[in-house]
Amino acid sequence: HENVLTIEADPYPFTFPLRSTALLVIDMQRDFLYPAGFGEIQGGNLEAVQASIAPTKALLEACRAAGMKIFHTREGHVPTLADCPSSKLIRQAASPSSQHLKVIGDKGDMGRLLVRGEYGHDIVDKLQPLPSEVVIDKPGKGSFWNTPILHKLKGSGITHLLISGVTTECCFATTLREANDRGFECVGIRESTAGYNPAFKTASLDMICWSEGLFGFVANLQPVLDVLF
Ligand code: TIU
């Protein structure tokens, strides 16, 4: 491999030094992707998010083959919910008439919703992390609040991020924006992210690369695979 790679992207080609670029796979958890999980209970369209599994697998394999550092994140909480931001708890408690039949911490078909250690909280079978890969448990939507991810990225000399995962409008976008503010050069991979609403996905990706890259870049999967393999 060349040390520095360039791929077609919006708003202009994205150049990244392979050894200081990491792949971030955001929240590809059963709770967001499988029936009866937290996402479906929230009202999410599962068909839309499930479309991101195969392209994320292809991206993950390419990054593994290229020897890149891989970070997986999982949204969730300790069993007491002591780490759950009060905004998340207050909104669900204040909505007895809401559409949500169950809330964070309630028992669902895959265990307690978004609680660490439960089956539904873990990453889907096809995308299970390898022992050499970093798993970041996060209580927020973004990956940088109340987690060690910044220290781990800096400690590994990472400056550039390929970002994938679900949902585009929520944890993917929040993480990409947080990373951009911390000086990381970010590219979101179009097919490897998906949202619960196609209009949200389009708008979220458009906002990232608007105005010469307001928050970063967006690229299609194929150019990434071409340059990594
Ligand atoms: N991972 C993630 O995006 N968590 C969410 O709660 N997503 C929603 O779209 N709600």
Side-chain angles (χ1 to χ4, degrees), residues 27 32 38 42 75 141 166-167 169-171 196:
D27 297 7
F32 293 117
F38 182 71
Q42 274 192 316
E75 178 180 346
K141 302 304 186 190
V166 295
T167 61
E169 61 272 12
C170 186
C171 296
Y196 285 136

Side-chain angles (χ1 to χ4, degrees), residues 20-101:
S20 49
T21 303
L23 170 67
L24 240 56
V25 183
I26 304 296
D27 297 7
M28 293 298 280
Q29 296 159 260
R30 299 184 181 107
D31 255 333
F32 293 117
L33 293 158
Y34 286 3
F38 182 71
E40 190 175 54
I41 289 168
Q42 274 192 316
N45 175 342
L46 289 192
E47 222 174 290
V49 283
Q50 284 168 358
S52 69
I53 296 177
T56 298
K57 175 78 173 170
L59 177 65
L60 183 57
E61 305 262 285
C63 291
R64 282 172 175 165
M68 287 171 56
K69 295 229 164 54
I70 318 272
F71 289 71
H72 303 258
T73 67
R74 299 185 298 197
E75 178 180 346
H77 306 284
V78 297
T80 59
L81 307 186
D83 61 347
C84 190
S86 55
S87 55
K88 269 189 185 177
L89 285 176
I90 285 165
R91 264 203 298 282
Q92 65 182 29
S95 56
S97 65
S98 82
Q99 73 279 23
H100 301 338
L101 303 174

